[in-house]
Amino acid sequence: MNEQSLQARLDRLESLEQIRMLPAKYALALDMRDLDAWVGLFPEDIKVGKDQVGRAHLKRWIDSTLRNQFTTTSHHIGGHIIEFKDADNACGVVYSKNEHETGPEWVIMQMLYWDDYQRIDGRWYFRRRLPCYMYAADLNKPPIGDKKMRWPGREPYDGGWNQLWPSWQTFWASKPDDALPEVAEPAPLDAFLETMRRGSAAPRVRVR
């Protein structure tokens, strides 16, 4: 192994470690209401809404969201898959199980984030976080049935949990038979997410 190849592998390992820390830092900063620590996980030119750019706008948005909707929160980070597009850009999927005190109810939520990461001046940031929700419901009211997003004071709605994955529609549209099913080759190690996405574009999940 030549020195250039070794340096590239070390750089990749260091990048993986930095990226893996981002969701954990995101959760801790959010739950402890350290808004400067939280917005510092995004680049200076982060887009906020349709026509605003910058950490100051992001800080104002998260401040309003936390003050108006939640008293306390707890975010529990699960599995994290990361794939690199090039040395300075990557994407990933990370599971998150969350709890929220909102008025008289304790709302639990299961979701995943589709993330885009970017390295700027040697430091990795969230370039984009796309939230996809499975459910949100009061702890004592399991979200059985359709429209599993059930926040107090809102009409129930679907959360977009499955929109990233064509396999969901394919599975339910197909019917098993007695013949042995066809089995695809295992996905390449560096293209597991890409293979699961089947070339589909990321959906737009409306923030409510």
Side-chain angles (χ1 to χ4, degrees):
M1 183 184 301
N2 60 42
E3 184 176 350
Q4 184 176 6
S5 177
L6 179 59
Q7 288 297 323
R9 294 183 68 177
L10 288 173
D11 179 70
R12 180 58 53 87
L13 289 173
E14 291 177 353
S15 293
L16 280 169
E17 186 61 21
Q18 275 199 46
I19 293 170
R20 288 195 194 283
M21 292 295 290
L22 285 174
K25 291 176 178 178
Y26 179 103
L28 180 64
L30 192 65
D31 291 339
M32 301 307 143
R33 303 300 189 264
D34 191 329
L35 304 190
D36 286 325
W38 188 81
V39 299
L41 301 174
F42 297 85
E44 292 183 6
D45 63 344
I46 187 67
K47 184 178 179 181
V48 183
K50 293 182 178 180
D51 54 6
Q52 296 177 329
V53 175
R55 290 175 180 148
H57 289 292
L58 184 62
K59 185 176 180 179
R60 182 169 59 185
W61 174 80
I62 193 62
D63 186 287
S64 175
T65 299
L66 294 172
R67 290 183 190 278
N68 295 328
Q69 296 187 30
F70 312 118
T71 305
T72 57
T73 55
S74 179
H75 291 71
H76 307 263
I77 305 304
H80 192 183
I81 301 172
I82 301 164
E83 292 179 1
F84 287 85
K85 301 175 182 178
D86 55 46
D88 295 318
N89 293 276
C91 63
V93 166
V94 57
Y95 271 55
S96 185
K97 186 72 173 286
N98 312 325
E99 302 187 26
H100 312 78
E101 182 183 8
T102 173
E105 298 191 41
W106 192 268
V107 176
I108 57 174
M109 173 191 286
Q110 177 65 62
M111 64 176 296
L112 63 81
Y113 288 101
W114 177 270
D115 291 336
D116 290 322
Y117 314 107
Q118 187 174 43
R119 181 163 56 179
I120 302 172
D121 296 330
R123 183 166 182 167
W124 284 93
Y125 296 94
F126 291 112
R127 172 51 69 184
R128 179 174 182 260
R129 300 210 87 187
L130 177 69
C132 297
Y133 306 104
M134 181 183 183
Y135 69 79
D138 184 88
L139 181 64
N140 298 308
K141 301 173 185 177
I144 305 300
D146 297 329
K147 299 186 182 301
K148 298 181 184 297
M149 295 298 294
R150 302 172 188 177
W151 288 100
R154 306 187 206 177
E155 289 296 317
Y157 60 95
D158 293 319
W161 172 258
N162 307 306
Q163 292 181 22
L164 278 169
W165 317 108
S167 55
W168 178 263
Q169 289 78 16
T170 300
F171 177 86
W172 289 111
S174 64
K175 295 182 179 180
D177 54 36
D178 293 333
L180 283 174
E182 294 183 6
V183 178
E185 291 295 319
L189 288 176
D190 58 350
F192 186 83
L193 295 176
E194 181 181 342
T195 301
M196 285 192 66
R197 294 288 306 287
R198 313 281 203 278
S200 60
R204 295 183 178 274
V205 177
R206 183 170 59 174
V207 177
R208 299 180 183 236

